[in-house]
Amino acid sequence: MFELTLLCPEERVDAVSEAFDALDALSVSVEDADAQTEAEQALFGEPGMPAPRQAWSSSRITALFATQAAAQEAASLLAAQDFFAGCEVAGIAFVAEQDWVRLTQSQFDPVRITPEFWIVPSWHEPPAGAVQTIRLDPGMAFGTGTHPTTRMCLRWIAQRGASGGQALGRVLDYGCGSGILAIGAAKFGGEPIDAVDIDPAAVQATGDNARANGVQLHAGLPEQAQGPYQTVLANILATPLKVLAPLLCAHVAPGGHLVLAGILERQAEELQQAYAPWLQLSVADSEDGWILMTAHR
């Protein structure tokens, strides 16, 4: 197989993607061409906010073709179209045939949260000493426990929940992704638990993962969250977290806790300022340049 990669401005992404479908591409993916740079952008949408953008200002589009000739023909045909203005061909590369399922499985080992708490994929046995586990496989929604932000949230849940289920109380996981934080809260005694996300695929994944782990929670869209909650969890990104400050703070019950992640160390002060009218945030944990921020009402 061969992949054809293009660089396109935001306004050309839809037209180019549709053209790839017409050219019988096996798959088409769109990524931020500025990923891992200062120009990297986060795309998001929240209730009451403008509709989320569908592409990045500078997007990388990758299409997979069965043969090199098909990839080259697609590149030639696209270059001749008016809508290709502003786009450029970044290259055509050979992609080796692989057992993608086995490759994915080999890259996803059990993830240690604490010595006794682990995230374990379905094809692995729990490590020795694992008292509490979450069974979770890679899927369509973010959150497999491999990212520092997820691990820090789960550590906080484990530490808080170690003193008993009442410590977590009623829980809201806002932007639940795979549901991993909500499931972790359930494992450590939190109840009842609401897990919400703007992405229907995430809502579906959360429900499926909860059933696979034998825990009870309610998964739905953000407007279904009805506070107050003793514990409010949000592992998203700094920019949407700032926008969501009044909403998230309003969900925290008296005596409750707000737990935020997806924040870089250099973003701590701007988050504190954004939440200052409602709650006082402080840094509770850090790992690999990321921080966990919490507040107590």
Side-chain angles (χ1 to χ4, degrees):
M1 293 188 289
F2 290 80
E3 61 178 22
L4 166 61
T5 302
L6 308 177
L7 298 178
C8 295
E10 178 182 354
E11 64 272 15
R12 304 296 186 189
V13 169
D14 284 346
V16 172
S17 297
E18 290 173 4
F20 272 135
D21 288 338
L23 292 168
D24 295 327
L26 301 176
S27 67
V28 180
S29 63
V30 183
E31 300 174 312
D32 185 359
D34 296 318
Q36 308 301 319
T37 74
E38 288 294 324
E40 182 175 7
Q41 297 175 301
L43 301 185
F44 65 95
E46 295 297 338
M49 299 299 295
R53 292 162 54 189
Q54 299 303 309
W56 292 268
S57 57
S58 178
S59 295
R60 179 184 295 105
I61 306 179
T62 303
L64 193 64
F65 291 90
T67 66
Q68 185 176 17
Q72 291 172 335
E73 182 180 8
S76 298
L77 290 171
L78 286 172
Q81 308 304 313
D82 291 340
F83 60 73
F84 198 72
C87 302
E88 63 176 286
V89 176
I92 296 175
F94 173 71
V95 179
E97 296 280 356
Q98 298 192 58
D99 183 340
W100 294 107
V101 172
R102 180 170 296 180
L103 177 62
T104 299
Q105 291 181 350
S106 70
Q107 294 172 344
F108 188 54
D109 292 326
V111 178
R112 179 184 183 274
I113 305 302
T114 73
E116 297 182 341
F117 180 28
W118 290 73
I119 311 301
V120 185
S122 61
W123 53 85
H124 273 283
E125 289 298 319
V131 176
Q132 190 64 272
T133 63
I134 295 177
R135 288 288 190 172
L136 197 68
D137 295 342
M140 294 177 64
F142 171 81
T144 57
T146 58
H147 196 274
T149 59
T150 309
R151 291 198 299 269
M152 287 189 291
C153 287
L154 289 171
R155 277 201 299 267
W156 187 94
I157 289 169
Q159 292 162 1
R160 184 75 184 162
S163 58
Q166 292 300 315
L168 291 173
R170 188 172 184 231
V171 176
L172 172 63
D173 179 4
Y174 197 98
C176 57
S178 67
I180 189 169
L181 302 187
I183 294 168
K187 293 275 187 175
F188 283 91
E191 64 172 344
I193 295 173
D194 290 336
V196 300
D197 202 290
I198 61 172
D199 184 356
V203 174
Q204 179 66 45
T206 294
D208 293 343
N209 288 329
R211 286 186 287 274
N213 281 275
V215 301
Q216 296 291 321
L217 56 80
H218 178 262
L221 299 175
E223 54 265 29
Q224 296 176 267
Q226 300 293 325
Y229 297 88
Q230 187 67 20
T231 302
V232 176
L233 307 162
N235 180 17
I236 314 176
L237 285 171
T239 299
L241 285 176
K242 288 190 291 184
V243 174
L244 290 167
L247 174 66
L248 294 176
C249 291
H251 280 310
V252 182
H257 291 266
L258 177 65
V259 181
L260 305 179
I263 307 164
L264 295 169
E265 289 177 345
R266 58 180 171 80
Q267 297 170 322
E269 186 175 349
E270 60 185 281
L271 264 294
Q272 288 172 327
Q273 292 175 353
Y275 280 77
W278 302 279
L279 291 170
Q280 183 177 352
L281 285 176
S282 60
V283 177
D285 199 355
S286 64
E287 184 177 339
D288 294 342
W290 298 89
I291 57 174
L292 182 77
M293 302 192 78
T294 63
H296 177 238
R297 169 160 285 160

